[in-house]
Amino acid sequence: MTQDLSSNNSDTVYLKDYQSPAYAIEKTDLDVAIYPGESFVEARLQLVRQSGLVSELALDGEQLELLAIEINSQSLSKDQYRLDDGKLVLIEPPERFELYTKVRIQPEQNTSLEGLYRSRTIYCTQCEAEGFRKITYYLDRPDVMSDFTTRISAAKSECPILLANGNLVEQGDLTDGRHYAVWHDPHKKPCYLFALVAGDLSVMEDHFVTASGRNVDLKIYVEEKDLDKCDHAMASLKNAMRWDEEVYGREYDLDIFMIVAVDDFNMGAMENKGLNIFNTSCVLAKPETTTDAGFQRVEGVVAHEYFHNWSGNRVTCRDWFQLSLKEGFTVYRDAEFSADMGSPTVKRVEDVAMLRTHQFAEDAGPMAHPIRPASYMEISNFYTLTIYEKGAEVVRMLANLLGPELFRKGTDLYFERHDGQAVTTEDFVQALADVSGRDFSVFQRWYNQAGTPQLEVRDEYDENTREYTLHITQSTPATPECADKQPFHIPIAMGLLGDAGEIALKLRDEELEDLPTDNTHRVLELTEQAQSFVFTDVPEKPVPSLLRGFSAPVKLKFAYSRDDLVRLALRDSDGFNRYEACQRLALGVIEDALAADSGGELNNFTPDERLLAVYQQLLQEEGLDRAMLAYMLLLPSEGFIAEQQSVIDPIAIHRARGEVAGYIAKALHKPLLAVLENYDLRKPYKPTAVDIAARLLKNTALEFLMREPDQAVVDLCVKHLQQANNMTDELASLTALVNSRSPLAADIAPQKLADFYAKWQDESLVVNAWLALQARNANPGGVERVEALLAHPAFEANNPNKIRSVVGVFANANPVNFHGGTDADPEAGYRFLADQVIALDSKNPQIAARLITPLTRWRRYDKQRGGAMRGQLERIKHTPGLSSDSNEIVSKSL
Ligand code: TRP
Ligand code: ZN
């Protein structure tokens, strides 16, 4: 049953109301003249009617000052057009015409960072999703695809570099020290993929020869000071280009591919055709300034944007409800790429941890939406973990159901069939159905129903018949858009572990000759609310290893005993499920600690020694990937633990998790210390999977040891801080020192923080990390600390990276301080966040709206906390002139 989501609200856009565009824009000719403080945009659009008579045609346009308007070179009289709010309406337009408009815009005043804006010294654009309408009047929707020519002119001294999509066709000097460049993009595209850049940029150049032997020039444009940080992005780009040829048969299709790095950017990066624009945080990397996570992010985002050239640009979205068509698919593609470049199991563990902590929370909150939403108020609010990460999980399930050969056939068909088109998620699934003959009608529900399905699995073993049965039921909690969920199609990859190892599997109605060669692994397909699967010839009661590789984005309930989990943790053949067993074991122990907590004191609590025994064995296991070991030792995050609670008590969670970590640190002091002592601090830095894993394990050990360190451990931490030859180790040591509750660490942490800042103050991205580590500090006094950071000269109030590093990190990654655990005023964290949202909302509504998220979860907390959070949401709601972005989030969560 579908709830009526205020359909009288005219601000809501509905998928069911989709209509194809009344006009096509065959050609788009832009002339952008940049001057200090103002720019002028002249547009010549060739419009052609697509259907019967149209009495009015509305073009989108925001914050534009209209200076001239002509149709077929004739000025329009006042009765031939009108300016409504956000629209230019043409009255009785001809069937085929050229529309000429000239507008004035002010990039220097544009703090929203969409449309044309200025980031430090660079003029750049961000048009996805609906930013092009801040540049000129247009049909700003992805199913209007046009042939773009862009002329840019500017002062040569200020802006020696002038870039736009496609190929450079002309350039030259003008009078008054100005110059111009003309770019033409031979591929038709929607305007959200338009880009231009003007500024004083340095370039790193390379080239790539495609599989069919064409040369592609590769250029990365950055500020001169950052030229030494482009190598990794360039190498990643070439790897991605090769990988897409080999794995998907996709070649690049222009003679030039450009990346530009800017400091002020709302998201990670943008896939504009031939001219990707990146947040500096997602392109710049060098060992001295960038952590391993930073290197991996650069590799992943460079690949992601590159892969969009096919999954997004050549085949694009019909409308913004289809966003996951390009984003879910492209995230799946970049995840598989990163897996191939490093360790697949490690990558999977990292992605699943993120999904389960943050996407599951979104699915359980007031903004829950299907990966293809049915309605939205502000599309920018739907660039979510659900669209991206859950969308990728849905594509992953399809890929796994088909297997690699059929999936490749299916994507080939999809790209061929829809090249140059703007399509829907159904078109994608249909191509996969066509090559495989599979029926995906039940599977389609993943696109239309929100919420995280819960599987309840019960098992039964009959010694006499040697039959082993798994009884599986599924249910999905109600979400705002839908109360009654139909069953999902859920692939459950599994195996059975006996005393001596994996058991050969035979389902009751399987014929012997149908059995796969790998006979210890099966994928069960659940398509109904309840199903049972019977295995025959099972010699003993096994422990089931379920949902291997996290084969579906669901919550799995099975009554594992702790001994079962020990068996899985130590012996499962599936790396992911070994990790998963450790997480379940650790979660159980932390829940024991929570149960023992009475008023802040843990009475008679000692952790289940089986957890320590498992850790001890893992630390000794030969050949175990060091990164897997690190993740298996790492306790579930406070956010993940919170997700498991019906009423979240962030303070108790923090205490319980800390207590268990302290026990582990003490009990495993020797082997953890050995990890540190065996680490070679002088080894030259390389961002290879093996070296990243070694650093991750070492820094995990350091974090444990610094919980209750003696002087020797503190000295070791300081030594690592001072002798580190890379930012991963340097930052990890500083973080461990700052987060430690020990007075031995607290005495020196302020000086070390100051030293670090003095050393790195000119490296903006390092300063972000320095801000973030303090915003994350769980020690008492969090609110005062972040307030002080906002007043620090390093903070820039309009820069999204700085805002995220302080405000975002505090509210999302420092739960104990955000929820007032150690402060005299328990509401101070909530008030702080609301203050920041209100201050930012009129300047950059996209970022302001995103910051609100933690407050929207108020229903998950007790009455007092939840009430206080709700109070701050009310305060935001009543801010005069609140943006539609923030209004959507606030009103849907109240
Ligand atoms: N398409 C971009 C991506 O690949 C997303 C994006 C970049 C974006 N900048 C944006 C979305 C600004 C909304 C607003 O992930
Ligand atoms: Zn994307």
Side-chain angles (χ1 to χ4, degrees):
M1 202 185 67
T2 306
Q3 222 175 290
D4 180 25
L5 266 185
S6 58
S7 50
N8 58 346
N9 187 339
S10 60
D11 297 336
T12 300
V13 188
Y14 295 91
L15 169 60
K16 64 175 165 47
D17 294 341
Y18 173 82
Q19 286 189 325
S20 58
Y23 276 77
I25 305 180
E26 291 192 334
K27 276 198 160 43
T28 301
D29 258 288
L30 297 175
D31 182 327
V32 181
I34 296 170
Y35 290 91
E38 59 180 0
S39 293
F40 298 91
V41 181
E42 293 174 83
R44 286 194 163 74
L45 312 181
Q46 308 299 330
L47 287 122
V48 183
R49 192 188 291 154
Q50 299 299 291
S51 51
L53 259 178
V54 176
S55 59
E56 292 192 339
L57 175 65
L59 292 108
D60 305 291
E62 280 172 21
Q63 290 159 41
L64 306 174
E65 187 188 333
L66 183 62
L67 301 177
I69 178 164
E70 294 171 6
I71 281 183
N72 297 332
S73 306
Q74 300 285 303
S75 291
L76 295 197
S77 60
K78 286 283 170 211
D79 58 349
Q80 290 174 295
Y81 75 99
R82 91 178 161 260
L83 288 174
D84 277 355
D85 73 309
K87 302 267 183 216
L88 166 63
V89 183
L90 303 177
I91 297 159
E92 291 181 1
E95 189 181 333
R96 201 174 247 285
F97 64 100
E98 179 183 277
L99 175 70
Y100 166 81
T101 58
K102 179 172 183 178
V103 299
R104 192 178 84 105
I105 54 179
Q106 291 172 284
E108 284 84 351
Q109 307 299 314
N110 183 351
T111 53
S112 69
L113 313 187
E114 53 168 12
L116 177 61
Y117 66 93
R118 188 170 156 127
S119 173
R120 292 162 59 93
T121 59
I122 306 166
Y123 293 90
C124 65
T125 55
Q126 171 55 41
C127 296
E128 188 178 6
E130 297 180 335
F132 193 73
R133 62 189 63 185
K134 290 184 164 184
I135 296 173
T136 193
Y137 288 105
Y138 208 75
L139 299 179
D140 188 357
R141 45 187 287 171
D143 55 356
V144 172
M145 299 172 76
S146 190
D147 176 314
F148 277 77
T149 305
T150 309
R151 182 181 191 274
I152 315 162
S153 59
K156 200 170 181 172
S157 57
E158 286 263 302
C159 300
I161 303 288
L162 303 173
L163 310 173
N165 316 86
N167 302 310
L168 180 64
V169 292
E170 199 188 322
Q171 60 183 328
D173 287 337
L174 300 163
T175 54
D176 300 335
R178 294 175 63 79
H179 70 149
Y180 74 96
V182 181
W183 293 78
H184 175 245
D185 184 351
H187 298 277
K188 280 196 165 198
K189 65 168 176 292
C191 64
Y192 83 86
L193 292 172
F194 169 82
L196 77 78
V197 170
D200 187 357
L201 291 153
S202 298
V203 62
M204 173 180 184
E205 297 189 63
D206 205 330
H207 72 111
F208 179 85
V209 180
T210 67
S212 65
R214 274 186 320 100
N215 183 70
V216 181
D217 289 328
L218 308 177
K219 304 188 185 213
I220 302 181
Y221 290 91
V222 297
E223 285 186 43
E224 192 185 355
K225 65 178 172 58
D226 293 323
L227 254 187
D228 61 342
K229 306 188 192 82
C230 297
D231 296 4
H232 184 63
M234 188 62 90
S236 302
L237 174 59
K238 290 195 279 183
N239 286 337
M241 294 178 85
R242 189 63 73 213
W243 189 89
D244 212 15
E245 292 180 344
E246 286 169 358
V247 181
Y248 283 85
R250 298 293 119 197
E251 263 193 37
Y252 187 62
D253 54 7
L254 284 166
D255 301 331
I256 178 169
F257 185 82
M258 298 175 276
I259 288 177
V260 178
V262 300
D263 240 353
D264 302 282
F265 202 74
N266 279 349
M267 305 269 280
M270 179 62 211
E271 70 265 23
N272 318 300
K273 184 79 187 187
L275 178 55
N276 287 188
I277 298 181
F278 273 61
N279 190 320
T280 46
S281 71
C282 294
V283 60
L284 304 179
K286 70 170 180 180
E288 295 74 24
T289 59
T290 312
T291 62
D292 291 334
F295 270 85
Q296 289 174 312
R297 179 146 175 81
V298 168
E299 179 181 74
V301 177
V302 167
H304 178 98
E305 306 310 331
Y306 174 73
F307 295 154
H308 268 315
N309 192 55
W310 277 95
S311 49
N313 301 2
R314 289 289 288 254
V315 181
T316 196
C317 300
R318 188 190 73 172
D319 53 70
W320 291 121
F321 297 102
Q322 319 297 328
L323 183 57
S324 203
L325 174 77
K326 74 176 177 81
E327 295 305 347
F329 187 21
T330 305
V331 171
Y332 172 69
R333 277 151 57 70
D334 84 57
E336 289 295 286
F337 167 74
S338 294
D340 284 353
M341 296 294 119
S343 154
T345 313
V346 172
K347 171 71 176 155
R348 191 70 188 132
V349 163
E350 291 167 344
D351 288 353
V352 173
M354 205 271 279
L355 183 90
R356 291 201 290 201
T357 307
H358 302 291
Q359 195 280 325
F360 280 17
E362 189 166 273
D363 243 350
M367 282 295 291
H369 52 279
I371 63 170
R372 192 178 66 180
S375 70
Y376 59 77
M377 291 162 76
E378 190 54 64
I379 186 58
S380 324
N381 285 331
F382 284 78
Y383 286 76
T384 59
L385 293 163
T386 300
I387 301 290
Y388 277 68
E389 314 302 326
K390 187 176 181 179
E393 293 299 319
V394 171
V395 175
R396 176 178 300 276
M397 287 189 284
L398 287 166
N400 289 343
L401 285 169
L402 260 56
E405 283 92 41
L406 272 180
F407 184 66
R408 168 65 190 273
K409 262 196 182 153
T411 58
D412 281 352
L413 177 62
Y414 167 73
F415 288 127
E416 250 158 62
R417 188 184 267 174
H418 299 297
D419 192 7
Q421 297 177 3
V423 304
T424 64
T425 59
E426 276 101 349
D427 294 319
F428 179 75
V429 177
Q430 190 59 53
L432 302 183
D434 287 350
V435 295
S436 64
R438 286 202 59 139
D439 175 3
F440 288 128
S441 50
V442 174
F443 191 90
Q444 278 286 359
R445 292 176 189 156
W446 283 108
Y447 286 89
N448 304 321
Q449 296 186 141
T452 308
Q454 187 165 118
L455 296 186
E456 296 212 25
V457 183
R458 211 163 40 76
D459 68 348
E460 210 180 332
Y461 180 64
D462 186 331
E463 279 167 30
N464 300 320
T465 60
R466 290 161 55 100
E467 282 187 342
Y468 177 73
T469 309
L470 290 170
H471 301 285
I472 310 182
T473 61
Q474 59 167 306
S475 63
T476 305
T479 53
E481 94 302 343
C482 172
D484 286 329
K485 311 282 181 178
Q486 292 180 289
F488 288 92
H489 183 166
I490 300 173
I492 305 167
M494 53 79 63
L496 299 177
L497 247 72
D499 215 19
E502 306 262 331
I503 292 172
L505 304 180
K506 191 182 161 306
L507 281 160
R508 191 150 65 187
D509 18 77
E510 272 174 334
E511 301 293 333
L512 271 174
E513 57 268 27
D514 293 344
L515 295 182
T517 37
D518 172 12
N519 202 17
T520 59
H521 185 80
R522 230 20 133 260
V523 179
L524 309 177
E525 293 186 34
L526 188 70
T527 52
E528 292 159 29
Q529 192 266 327
Q531 269 165 276
S532 296
F533 299 87
V534 183
F535 295 89
T536 57
D537 298 322
V538 180
E540 59 181 302
K541 179 166 204 248
V543 177
S545 169
L546 300 167
L547 218 63
R548 283 181 165 171
F550 199 64
S551 60
V554 301
K555 292 183 183 169
L556 171 70
K557 272 176 95 177
F558 181 85
Y560 285 114
S561 71
R562 295 225 170 131
D563 290 333
D564 290 346
L565 293 173
V566 170
R567 185 189 287 188
L568 288 167
L570 296 176
R571 305 228 312 266
D572 198 350
S573 60
D574 183 67
F576 178 83
N577 268 6
R578 294 189 65 186
Y579 156 82
E580 175 66 359
C582 286
Q583 290 282 294
R584 281 177 188 259
L585 206 49
L587 188 65
V589 173
I590 292 167
E591 281 166 354
D592 292 345
L594 279 165
D597 186 334
S598 81
E601 292 294 317
L602 293 194
N603 295 320
N604 307 320
F605 172 73
T606 44
D608 192 325
E609 59 196 26
R610 281 171 288 193
L611 181 65
L612 292 172
V614 165
Y615 287 171
Q616 238 138 12
Q617 287 207 42
L618 293 173
L619 278 157
Q620 280 157 26
E621 182 178 321
E622 266 180 53
L624 179 59
D625 183 312
R626 303 286 85 183
M628 284 310 296
L629 174 57
Y631 286 126
M632 288 162 92
L633 294 176
L634 213 57
L635 297 177
S637 69
E638 289 174 32
F640 182 80
I641 300 164
E643 269 319 288
Q644 321 307 313
Q645 296 200 318
S646 48
V647 179
I648 300 173
D649 183 344
I651 316 305
I653 290 173
H654 180 72
R655 201 159 45 224
R657 184 182 184 275
E659 202 69 31
V660 174
Y663 270 105
I664 292 166
K666 256 187 256 156
L668 301 182
H669 187 85
K670 255 178 96 179
L672 290 172
L673 199 60
V675 169
L676 247 78
E677 285 166 350
N678 292 335
Y679 180 79
D680 181 3
L681 265 168
R682 281 169 313 253
K683 189 173 182 196
Y685 177 90
K686 278 206 205 98
T688 59
V690 171
D691 287 3
I692 290 172
R695 284 186 287 272
L696 183 66
L697 179 62
K698 185 270 284 183
N699 290 322
T700 303
L702 179 61
E703 189 192 318
F704 269 117
L705 290 170
M706 284 299 287
R707 292 217 156 240
E708 280 159 56
D710 53 19
Q711 191 59 49
V713 166
V714 174
D715 292 345
L716 198 56
C717 184
V718 171
K719 177 180 156 192
H720 277 247
L721 173 62
Q722 263 143 14
Q723 296 185 5
N725 65 7
N726 64 81
M727 187 47 70
T728 307
D729 286 335
E730 191 172 346
L731 202 61
S733 314
L734 185 61
T735 303
L737 203 60
V738 168
N739 273 319
S740 178
R741 290 185 313 180
S742 156
L744 296 176
D747 285 349
I748 54 172
Q751 188 56 48
K752 298 299 174 199
L753 272 171
D755 294 347
F756 185 94
Y757 180 71
K759 179 177 172 191
W760 293 115
Q761 56 182 317
D762 295 329
E763 290 287 353
S764 180
L765 297 173
V766 181
V767 171
N768 294 347
W770 177 81
L771 292 168
L773 95 85
Q774 297 175 81
R776 204 182 286 116
N777 181 356
N779 282 311
V783 177
E784 295 90 87
R785 263 197 309 276
V786 284
E787 267 163 355
L789 291 176
L790 293 186
H792 192 279
F795 189 77
E796 299 166 54
N798 288 348
N799 176 267
N801 290 351
K802 294 278 183 294
I803 297 166
R804 280 187 279 257
S805 298
V806 177
V807 186
V809 167
F810 174 72
N812 290 292
N814 193 347
V816 69
N817 274 300
F818 177 61
H819 292 284
T822 51
D823 269 285
D825 177 355
E827 294 184 22
Y830 308 148
R831 202 174 321 110
F832 168 81
L833 181 59
D835 287 345
Q836 296 309 312
V837 168
I838 291 167
L840 190 59
D841 185 65
S842 58
K843 294 191 286 182
N844 189 333
Q846 283 183 11
I847 299 295
R850 273 170 192 277
L851 285 181
I852 300 169
T853 305
L855 288 172
T856 66
R857 312 266 158 86
W858 63 275
R859 283 194 173 85
R860 302 283 308 270
Y861 297 85
D862 66 37
K863 231 178 156 178
Q864 204 195 341
R865 242 179 226 125
M869 295 166 84
R870 183 172 205 274
Q872 294 303 322
L873 285 171
E874 295 278 4
R875 227 185 105 214
I876 297 170
K877 186 181 165 74
H878 292 108
T879 304
L882 189 71
S883 68
S884 60
D885 304 67
S886 293
N887 180 54
E888 174 171 31
I889 307 285
V890 172
S891 54
K892 285 183 177 172
S893 51
L894 277 169

